[in-house]
Amino acid sequence: MKYYSDSVEDVLAEVAGSAEGLTGEEAGARLAQYGKNKLAEKKKVPLIVRFFKQMADPMILVLIAAAAVSLVTAIINKEGFADVIIIMTVVIINAILGVYQENKAEKAIEALQEMSAATSKVRRDGVVKIVHSEELVPGDVVELEAGDQVPADGRLIECHSLKIEEAALTGESVPVTKQTEPLQAVGGKDVPLGDRKNMIYMGSSVSYGRGRAVIVGTGMNTEMGKIADVLAKTSEGDTPLQKKLGQLSKILSILVLAICVVIFGFGVARAWITDGSVKLDTVLATFMTAISLAVAAIPEGLAAVVTVVLSIGVTNMSKRNAIIRKLTAVETLGCAQIICSDKTGTLTQNKMTVVEHRGADELLTAVAMACCSDSTLDENNTAVGEPTENALVNYAYKLGKPKYELAKEYVRVGEAPFDSMRKMMSTVHEHEGKVVQFTKGAPDIVLSRCAYYLDNGSAVPMTDAKRAQILKDNKEMADKALRVLAAAEKFYDSVPGDLDAEALEKDLVFLGLTGMIDPVRPEVVDAVKECKSAGIRTVMITGDHLDTAVAIAKELGILGENDKAISGSALDDISDEELAETIEQYRVYARVQPEHKVRIVNAWKTKGYVTAMTGDGVNDAPSIKNADIGVGMGITGTDVTKNVADMVLADDNFATIVGAVAEGRRIYDNIRKAIQFLLSSNMAEVLTVFTATLLGFTVLKPVHLLWINLITDCFPALALGVEPAEARIMEKQPRSSKSGIFSGGVGIDIAYQGILVTVLTLLSFFIGEFIAWTVEQNLALSFANLGTYLGWVFESVRDPAASTALFKDCVDGMTMAFITMSMAEIFHSINMRSQRGSIFKMKTANLMLFGAAALSFVLTTAVVFVPVVNTWFGFGLTAGFEFTEYLIAMGLAVLMIPLVELVKLIQRAIARGKTKIRIGS
């Protein structure tokens, strides 16, 4: 129903009520019919269900698969279950973190409920009663006065200078002056929510005056209820990183399965060809080999590394006043392409401020404005009251006239309160033995009551030329989107006997004009510029009028020459399909409603842009939840918005977002470095075990691979997560959400780096076995004997029996291979500080990485040489392992740094060549 377009009598008839309210019996019957005046509560998902839901994540399934493989290995080999415990601990921690972060929709609904008034003044049975707000029903008549919370949606049937603060719901920066007269929209369209001056809405508050209203909507049938319904229906999509990790997990899962099948089939087929049959021992041995490859292929520490790196990022961002509520939101910021920002309180200060004056005496104008206001200054000299009047009181204070001194100097003895019909307010004061009247209000109205104007301290008769000049000044200020008020005065010999407005407000002396606006945050201008240099578009979405929004947008640099601004009513005429096609043209949206904001965010997302939405009001909550990343305000933001948001700005500063974007980009870069490091290491393990399988020997056991994946690799990978940002990170275009983890040459890098580690590891294995063979055969280390040994190796490829004889006890080779692979990956983590740049030219240091490398080095050495521990890993069986072999294995591992540096040098040269070709063309 369009109650705003109906007369008071018609509305009362439609809700079957009267101006005197309902009887108790009628209210009870309607309460049973309509239900309580509260928002619907979403059914809560049991904790255990939410916990196991976290297990459905592909990355977690990979970890569980790794634990299952380790369990089978431990049972078959009758070993301990340490590996299983480690992996499942990682799984449980990840699940707990996930449960802790989710279920924000329920919190948002609860916060909406808390915003509803606890009790209300209602006319029941002909008298005013205090009742619980949740017992209100359509047809009830509520009485409102300054300071009251509006308990439900209603149509005003009586108001006296009533002003209601609706910023949280509509985005309007100043309280709305209310009326009782019906409203008619132009062209038959709906009147925008912010312009329905004869309506009141749940969640708003009375800032001035008093009034009565008949309730027309309660609970979920209110505008607040519509927002709650949108929140409940809005699902949160996966972030770009979640999508990429999900894809990676699926690829790895398929790869693991394929590897197991291929290797198991290859081993069984080889045994069948060689022996003509397949024995159970052969099947078990082949199965264990397949398990080794599966363990090698699964990056067990990846999920934990990503979670910890994101957590470190959250800590860093909190130090910059950006509080992250959802871990994955950190990296989403890094690829943000659009920031849809609410104006009031986000781009502006949400504090009306006088910024311009026109008139003969600025100080006198300021005194008149402040005296003709009900706002006061508290003990901290902060204005308290209605926002517009607060601006006037602050204006006088800045000019050296605090309100508490003016109250003593100009003692108020009478007044004609503000009225929305006459659009003026007048106060009468005693001052230095005289009586002076100050009047403020709409410039055209005040000017029409002025017979004089102030000139050089004297009242001069008003002329048509002066009147035209004042109106011109008013228009110039209004064209700047300023809220303009005029001030006038009048002197009496004594306090007038008739304080009626008609008697007071005539033959006035015009003093001057003041223009006020909700000023922009000074730091936002630079923040918008930095967003532009980073390839990020800033879009303003506000409930304010179009001219105000355009003026602010131009001042901030958001609205360019070729950009357009559009109102909410015009947006209603555009279909979702049309909006998606033209969305890139618009940079400013004015007089919008909550559903408009959701449409705008969805249109950008439809075009493939990663979209952020900022805001502080309840009206922002649906779009904030629907955006790729929602940003709420910590100081002025409502609980609803903060609970829905992925990130909350502790200082309400739009500029903080820029720092958060830079941090998000750094974190994503570092996560990619960690992923590249871990996957190249896993690829090396797969290739090494696969090659050894083809040759018929075991180079590394599952326990060795698990140690490398969970211990040796994890520490350096975590340290890569705190790598400082590379130069000019905010001068690059945002990465596309469609770009994969392997884009930008990462896939090629993983391949060649994995092959390098494989070659070094196998070389170390054969050197170790050759040394052990010469010792066993009592032969010298000579090239002739090396040739003989290599001949036997090649023969073993064709003859499995020869392979078994040659590699029946390969502890020395296995030990050297373990050392080389472990340390090669550690040295390789240092390579990963920069994908293309030389590590020897980096100007920053990552002490945590160096410390992690040192720790991994100590642990790897301990596994080989510490008694008992080396027995657990199968290294205690070697009696002849010399320190020389340890140095050889270590020397081979160190080669990873110069080899990768050489490849990087070639890659940079190729990139420079391509750049020259592009410039030349």
Side-chain angles (χ1 to χ4, degrees):
M1 298 293 293
K2 298 181 180 179
Y3 296 107
Y4 57 80
S5 64
D6 296 333
S7 66
V8 171
E9 293 74 18
D10 288 342
V11 172
L12 289 172
E14 288 167 7
V15 298
S18 72
E20 294 303 312
L22 304 173
T23 65
E25 185 179 350
E26 289 174 327
R30 296 190 185 192
L31 185 63
Q33 178 184 356
Y34 294 104
K36 289 187 176 181
N37 178 36
K38 58 188 295 187
L39 301 177
E41 297 182 2
K42 184 178 179 181
K43 186 178 180 180
K44 294 185 178 181
V45 180
L47 181 64
I48 190 67
V49 174
R50 283 182 283 162
F51 180 82
F52 282 108
K53 187 178 178 182
Q54 296 295 322
M55 302 293 186
D57 182 87
M59 206 63 227
I60 300 300
L61 291 177
V62 170
L63 287 176
I64 293 174
V69 167
S70 299
L71 180 62
V72 171
T73 303
I75 293 174
I76 293 176
N77 292 341
K78 298 181 180 180
E79 298 172 346
F81 299 100
D83 300 326
V84 180
I85 294 172
I86 292 173
I87 297 173
M88 289 309 299
T89 299
V90 172
V91 169
I92 292 171
I93 290 175
N94 273 280
I96 291 173
L97 288 174
V99 170
Y100 180 77
Q101 292 291 334
E102 69 171 19
N103 204 26
K104 290 186 293 180
E106 290 182 10
K107 292 183 180 179
I109 298 297
E110 291 169 3
L112 279 168
Q113 291 172 332
E114 290 173 4
M115 288 191 66
S116 303
T119 60
S120 302
K121 296 185 286 289
V122 185
R123 295 189 72 84
R124 293 266 178 91
D125 298 313
V127 296
V128 177
K129 297 181 178 181
I130 304 297
V131 303
H132 289 291
S133 296
E134 65 177 28
E135 296 177 4
L136 289 180
V137 295
D140 264 327
V141 173
V142 296
E143 299 202 351
L144 301 168
E145 59 185 23
D148 287 347
Q149 292 290 315
V150 176
D153 290 2
R155 170 69 158 82
L156 285 165
I157 59 176
E158 179 185 320
C159 65
H160 302 278
S161 304
L162 183 65
K163 293 184 180 182
I164 294 185
E165 174 67 64
E166 297 177 344
L169 188 65
T170 66
E172 182 71 59
S173 57
V174 296
V176 179
T177 299
K178 294 296 183 176
Q179 65 183 55
T180 58
E181 291 74 21
L183 301 172
Q184 295 299 328
V186 179
K189 300 179 181 178
D190 286 344
V191 174
L193 194 66
D195 291 334
R196 298 175 189 174
K197 297 184 178 180
N198 55 13
M199 299 291 294
I200 60 172
Y201 295 106
M202 176 191 285
S204 55
S205 60
V206 180
S207 61
Y208 192 85
R210 58 189 176 83
R212 281 197 299 160
V214 58
I215 299 302
V216 297
T218 59
M220 295 300 289
N221 293 319
T222 62
E223 292 297 325
M224 188 76 78
K226 292 179 183 178
I227 294 175
D229 187 53
V230 171
L231 288 177
K233 293 178 180 178
T234 303
S235 59
E236 296 183 2
D238 289 339
T239 68
L241 180 62
Q242 286 175 316
K243 292 176 182 177
K244 299 300 178 295
L245 290 178
Q247 294 167 1
L248 177 61
S249 298
K250 291 177 182 177
I251 292 172
L252 289 176
S253 300
I254 295 172
L255 179 64
V256 168
L257 181 61
I259 287 173
C260 290
V261 172
V262 170
I263 292 302
F264 185 75
F266 176 82
V268 172
R270 183 177 183 181
W272 179 269
I273 294 172
T274 303
D275 303 331
S277 62
V278 180
K279 298 179 181 180
L280 179 60
D281 291 344
T282 303
V283 172
L284 290 176
T286 304
F287 177 68
M288 289 306 301
T289 301
I291 286 177
S292 297
L293 273 174
V295 172
I298 299 174
E300 287 84 359
L302 180 57
V305 167
V306 171
T307 299
V308 173
V309 170
L310 290 174
S311 299
I312 293 172
V314 167
T315 302
N316 291 338
M317 294 173 99
S318 66
K319 296 176 182 177
R320 300 183 182 184
N321 294 316
I323 310 302
I324 302 298
R325 292 176 48 81
K326 188 176 180 182
L327 282 181
T328 48
V330 178
E331 64 84 23
T332 311
L333 273 170
C335 59
Q337 297 164 299
I338 307 295
I339 298 179
C340 296
S341 176
D342 183 56
K343 177 185 74 68
T344 306
T346 307
L347 298 173
T348 64
Q349 300 175 26
N350 196 20
K351 180 182 179 183
M352 294 298 290
T353 305
V354 176
V355 295
E356 193 168 336
H357 162 265
R358 301 285 178 92
D361 191 330
E362 182 178 10
L363 182 60
L364 181 55
T365 302
V367 169
M369 293 283 194
C371 287
C372 192
S373 298
D374 291 329
S375 291
T376 59
L377 289 175
D378 62 15
E379 62 275 9
N380 298 317
N381 289 320
T382 300
V384 179
E386 194 269 336
T388 299
E389 294 193 340
N390 287 348
L392 298 173
V393 169
N394 285 329
Y395 177 47
Y397 176 73
K398 291 178 181 178
L399 293 177
K401 292 292 183 180
K403 182 66 180 285
Y404 47 80
E405 290 185 3
L406 290 175
K408 297 175 182 177
E409 189 177 346
Y410 295 85
V411 180
R412 186 184 294 190
V413 292
E415 67 178 286
F418 175 83
D419 183 86
S420 59
M421 296 299 293
R422 38 183 256 279
K423 298 181 180 180
M424 289 188 295
M425 175 181 179
S426 295
T427 54
V428 180
H429 307 263
E430 291 182 342
H431 173 64
E432 296 180 351
K434 300 179 181 179
V435 176
V436 61
Q437 169 192 328
F438 293 128
T439 297
K440 78 173 192 306
D444 54 336
I445 304 297
V446 172
L447 185 59
S448 68
R449 306 295 179 92
C450 291
Y452 308 91
Y453 68 93
L454 191 69
D455 186 22
N456 293 323
S458 301
V460 179
M462 181 67 68
T463 64
D464 290 340
K466 184 62 178 178
R467 194 180 304 276
Q469 180 60 49
I470 294 172
L471 291 174
K472 180 183 177 183
D473 289 343
N474 177 44
K475 185 178 184 304
E476 289 177 354
M477 295 170 73
D479 287 343
K480 298 177 184 178
L482 300 181
R483 180 181 176 85
V484 186
L485 292 178
E489 67 177 4
K490 184 178 180 180
F491 286 93
Y492 302 88
D493 292 330
S494 61
V495 177
D498 186 359
L499 293 177
D500 185 73
E502 286 297 322
L504 294 176
E505 294 166 350
K506 61 183 180 180
D507 297 327
L508 304 177
V509 179
F510 181 84
L511 297 178
L513 302 172
T514 57
M516 64 187 74
I517 198 170
D518 181 11
V520 302
R521 292 177 176 270
E523 64 279 1
V524 170
V525 177
D526 291 334
V528 171
K529 288 181 181 177
E530 192 166 359
C531 282
K532 285 184 178 180
S533 67
I536 301 170
R537 303 186 196 186
T538 305
V539 176
M540 178 193 290
I541 305 178
T542 179
D544 259 349
H545 293 281
L546 187 62
D547 55 352
T548 303
V550 168
I552 295 292
K554 287 182 177 178
E555 184 179 354
L556 290 172
I558 292 174
L559 191 67
E561 293 183 4
N562 300 321
D563 299 320
K564 296 181 180 180
I566 187 172
S567 66
S569 58
L571 200 59
D572 287 331
D573 296 332
I574 302 176
S575 67
D576 290 341
E577 293 73 20
E578 290 177 285
L579 181 59
E581 286 297 319
T582 59
I583 189 70
E584 294 173 316
Q585 300 175 12
Y586 303 111
R587 300 298 288 275
V588 175
Y589 298 85
R591 304 307 280 171
V592 298
Q593 298 187 44
E595 54 267 29
H596 292 144
K597 297 186 177 187
V598 175
R599 286 185 64 199
I600 294 166
V601 169
N602 286 341
W604 281 111
K605 292 174 68 176
T606 299
K607 295 287 283 187
Y609 290 93
V610 176
T611 306
M613 171 69 191
T614 75
D616 56 357
V618 177
N619 61 329
D620 298 322
S623 52
I624 281 180
K625 185 178 180 184
N626 205 55
D628 293 301
I629 176 164
V631 184
M633 302 296 122
I635 299 175
T636 60
T638 60
D639 286 342
V640 184
T641 306
K642 286 186 280 189
N643 285 338
V644 171
D646 300 299
M647 179 176 80
V648 176
L649 304 182
D651 56 359
D652 283 15
N653 194 335
F654 178 86
T656 302
I657 298 175
V658 179
V661 169
E663 181 70 7
R665 290 186 175 189
R666 182 190 72 84
I667 288 171
Y668 183 78
D669 285 349
N670 290 347
I671 287 176
R672 276 190 43 160
K673 290 174 184 177
I675 290 175
Q676 180 179 337
F677 166 66
L678 290 173
L679 292 186
S680 61
S681 299
N682 280 90
M683 183 176 183
E685 295 165 18
V686 170
L687 292 176
T688 299
V689 175
F690 185 72
T691 303
T693 301
L694 293 178
L695 296 177
F697 61 88
T698 301
V699 64
L700 291 169
K701 295 180 179 180
V703 66
H704 302 150
L705 299 173
L706 276 172
W707 173 270
I708 293 173
N709 287 351
L710 291 174
I711 306 300
T712 305
D713 288 351
C714 277
F715 293 123
L718 289 172
L720 284 171
V722 298
E723 184 67 31
E726 297 191 24
R728 298 182 175 179
I729 194 169
M730 285 300 286
E731 294 179 16
K732 300 176 182 177
Q733 292 295 304
R735 74 179 190 277
S736 170
S737 60
K738 297 179 181 178
S739 62
I741 290 177
F742 302 116
S743 62
V746 171
I748 296 174
D749 291 347
I750 290 174
Y752 91 78
Q753 290 160 7
I755 292 172
L756 283 179
V757 175
T758 298
V759 171
L760 293 173
T761 301
L762 290 174
L763 182 59
S764 183
F765 174 84
F766 286 121
I767 290 175
E769 284 304 291
F770 172 65
I771 293 174
W773 178 74
T774 57
V775 171
E776 183 181 345
Q777 301 296 323
N778 197 24
L779 299 173
L781 293 173
S782 64
F783 285 107
N785 289 331
L786 177 60
T788 303
Y789 177 77
L790 291 176
W792 284 7
V793 171
F794 292 132
E795 177 65 21
S796 70
V797 176
R798 295 184 292 104
D799 183 1
S803 173
T804 302
L806 182 63
F807 300 114
K808 64 180 180 179
D809 185 13
C810 51
V811 176
D812 285 79
M814 188 181 296
T815 304
M816 286 188 66
F818 175 78
I819 294 171
T820 299
M821 177 168 282
S822 298
M823 296 311 302
E825 293 179 6
I826 290 172
F827 290 126
H828 182 46
S829 68
I830 300 174
N831 286 327
M832 291 310 306
R833 293 191 63 202
S834 176
Q835 185 183 3
R836 291 289 181 267
S838 172
I839 60 173
F840 299 110
K841 293 183 179 180
M842 299 186 72
K843 297 180 180 179
T844 58
N846 187 340
L847 298 180
M848 186 175 291
L849 178 60
F850 299 147
L855 177 61
S856 295
F857 165 76
V858 170
L859 292 175
T860 299
T861 304
V863 165
V864 174
F865 289 107
V866 174
V868 181
V869 176
N870 58 10
T871 302
W872 295 344
F873 285 83
F875 300 138
L877 299 177
T878 178
F881 188 73
E882 300 289 342
F883 188 67
T884 303
E885 297 171 80
Y886 173 79
L887 292 179
I888 293 172
M890 194 66 68
L892 289 170
V894 173
L895 288 177
M896 271 303 293
I897 291 181
L899 288 174
V900 173
E901 280 288 307
L902 178 61
V903 176
K904 286 183 181 180
L905 180 64
I906 296 172
Q907 289 173 328
R908 291 196 298 270
I910 294 173
R912 285 194 297 268
K914 289 181 179 179
T915 302
K916 290 180 180 178
I917 291 174
R918 284 197 298 270
I919 294 175
S921 60

